[in-house]
Amino acid sequence: MMEFMAHDTKGPFKIQSFTGHYFYFDLFAFKKSRWLMVEFKRRKNEFYENLKNVLLEVDKFGYQVKHLQTDDDSLYRSRECKDILDEHKIFKRTSIAYHHYSNGWIERTVRTILDKARTIMLIYNCPLRFWKEAIDTAVYLYNLTPNKTLNWITPWEMIYDEKPDISHLVPFYAPGLVFIAKDDVNRLHPLSQRSYECRMLGYDKEAKNAYLVWVPALGTMKRAVNCKFQEGIDLSLPHNEDEKRDFSRFRMSVTDEEDERLRECISDNIDFF
């Protein structure tokens, strides 16, 4: 399931991530199972440490990587990379410079993850500083999604041999309330609030059905299970909803003449839309 692994890196991003202060991410994809793993980094050459972490995770699953597919970046031609691959008895296969089609599968997968992350951030107008959490969530959702190449089986089923539980899924950056733990309540005034407003920023990989939430009042992220989210957007009031959400960073830069021509085109074809 994990013998053939492909890798690609994306970055640097102009905005540093809120947690970890990252600028890049490494995406590792396994061709047979379509399983994805993502690791984040501050500098490009931290790829080697990320590669070691992924190989360790694969070993925990009981598999061994035998082939690594990459592009022709200097990262993969270094002595350090060769030593890691030799230690784990992994064959390396690289694409030819300026012939990206030979490494096209992983590059298309990176684009898919970026599209997913961009979409889930747009729904609740998530600030761009949370791009790391959006990428992490997009990979998590990808592994739970039926894949056409796998005859509509999820990557999760390929690895764990069981159907994934999706009952805990919540829209990314959805508003909600996180309840204060009992130990903390005992230290508060009897009339103090028992919960804080929060935003959903992902899923805790080390706990079942747990979330990572951003608590603006505390200025921090928390791991939480006892929280409630307001899911969905009231589509019956699209205009009011649009006024609350900032779409400007997703718009193309066009001249006034082009904008007016586009408006006329939409108006002429309003029935079609």
Side-chain angles (χ1 to χ4, degrees), residues 110-121:
V110 169
R111 186 174 66 228
T112 297
I113 293 302
L114 289 173
D115 288 344
K116 284 180 178 290
R118 185 182 303 111
T119 301
I120 63 178
M121 291 181 73

Side-chain angles (χ1 to χ4, degrees), residues 95-106:
S95 61
I96 305 300
Y98 307 110
H99 291 75
H100 298 288
Y101 62 85
S102 56
N103 197 38
W105 169 59
I106 182 62

Side-chain angles (χ1 to χ4, degrees), residues 21-265:
H21 308 294
Y22 299 114
F23 289 99
Y24 300 81
F25 72 85
D26 287 319
L27 189 68
F28 299 87
F30 300 89
K31 194 162 190 178
K32 188 174 182 180
S33 63
R34 288 305 194 264
W35 184 261
L36 299 185
M37 292 184 182
V38 64
E39 294 284 340
F40 300 89
K41 56 189 181 182
R42 299 178 182 87
R43 294 178 295 276
K44 191 174 182 180
N45 60 5
E46 291 179 5
F47 156 74
Y48 307 116
E49 193 63 33
N50 288 345
L51 177 59
K52 293 177 183 178
N53 292 339
V54 167
L55 293 176
L56 180 60
E57 289 297 317
V58 172
D59 186 60
K60 292 179 182 178
F61 282 121
Y63 298 104
Q64 181 181 1
V65 177
K66 296 182 179 179
H67 299 272
L68 175 64
Q69 172 71 51
T70 68
D71 57 27
D72 198 37
D73 194 281
S74 59
L75 276 176
Y76 314 111
R77 299 195 301 268
S78 68
R79 183 68 188 181
E80 188 172 357
C81 183
K82 184 179 185 303
D83 290 343
I84 296 174
L85 298 182
D86 288 346
E87 179 184 352
H88 291 84
K89 300 178 182 179
I90 299 174
F91 294 100
K92 181 182 65 173
R93 189 169 70 185
T94 61
S95 61
I96 305 300
Y98 307 110
H99 291 75
H100 298 288
Y101 62 85
S102 56
N103 197 38
W105 169 59
I106 182 62
E107 293 188 2
R108 290 192 300 273
T109 305
V110 169
R111 186 174 66 228
T112 297
I113 293 302
L114 289 173
D115 288 344
K116 284 180 178 290
R118 185 182 303 111
T119 301
I120 63 178
M121 291 181 73
L122 173 62
I123 296 173
Y124 284 103
N125 194 30
C126 176
L128 290 177
R129 67 178 182 274
F130 293 124
W131 66 263
K132 183 261 185 188
E133 286 73 24
I135 294 291
D136 225 350
T137 302
V139 170
Y140 181 80
L141 295 176
Y142 182 95
N143 288 333
L144 300 180
T145 304
N147 194 296
K148 182 179 180 181
T149 307
L150 302 177
N151 197 21
W152 302 114
I153 295 177
T154 64
W156 181 280
E157 291 176 78
M158 297 293 291
I159 298 299
Y160 292 102
D161 197 26
E162 64 178 14
K163 290 187 179 295
D165 177 17
I166 60 173
S167 61
H168 64 293
L169 296 185
V170 176
F172 186 77
Y173 207 64
L177 294 174
V178 57
F179 299 98
I180 303 172
K182 184 179 295 186
D183 292 341
D184 295 330
V185 169
N186 294 335
R187 293 195 295 266
L188 298 176
H189 188 277
L191 298 181
S192 297
Q193 65 187 77
R194 291 293 183 261
S195 62
Y196 284 104
E197 293 184 8
C198 68
R199 291 283 184 159
M200 187 277 189
L201 283 182
Y203 304 90
D204 192 334
K205 299 177 182 177
E206 299 180 358
K208 184 177 181 180
N209 295 344
Y211 303 95
L212 300 174
V213 297
W214 162 248
V215 186
L218 303 179
T220 186
M221 288 184 62
K222 292 176 63 71
R223 303 172 66 205
V225 176
N226 50 348
C227 46
K228 297 291 184 181
F229 298 101
Q230 178 185 348
E231 302 181 35
I233 294 176
D234 186 2
L235 297 179
S236 64
L237 300 172
H239 297 294
N240 293 344
E241 196 64 47
D242 285 347
E243 290 176 1
K244 299 176 184 177
R245 287 149 53 194
D246 176 21
F247 289 90
S248 60
R249 68 175 184 268
F250 298 98
R251 291 177 181 147
M252 295 181 294
S253 177
V254 296
T255 63
D256 293 340
E257 293 79 5
E258 291 172 330
D259 187 56
E260 183 63 30
R261 190 159 54 248
L262 180 60
R263 290 177 182 275
E264 292 177 358
C265 181

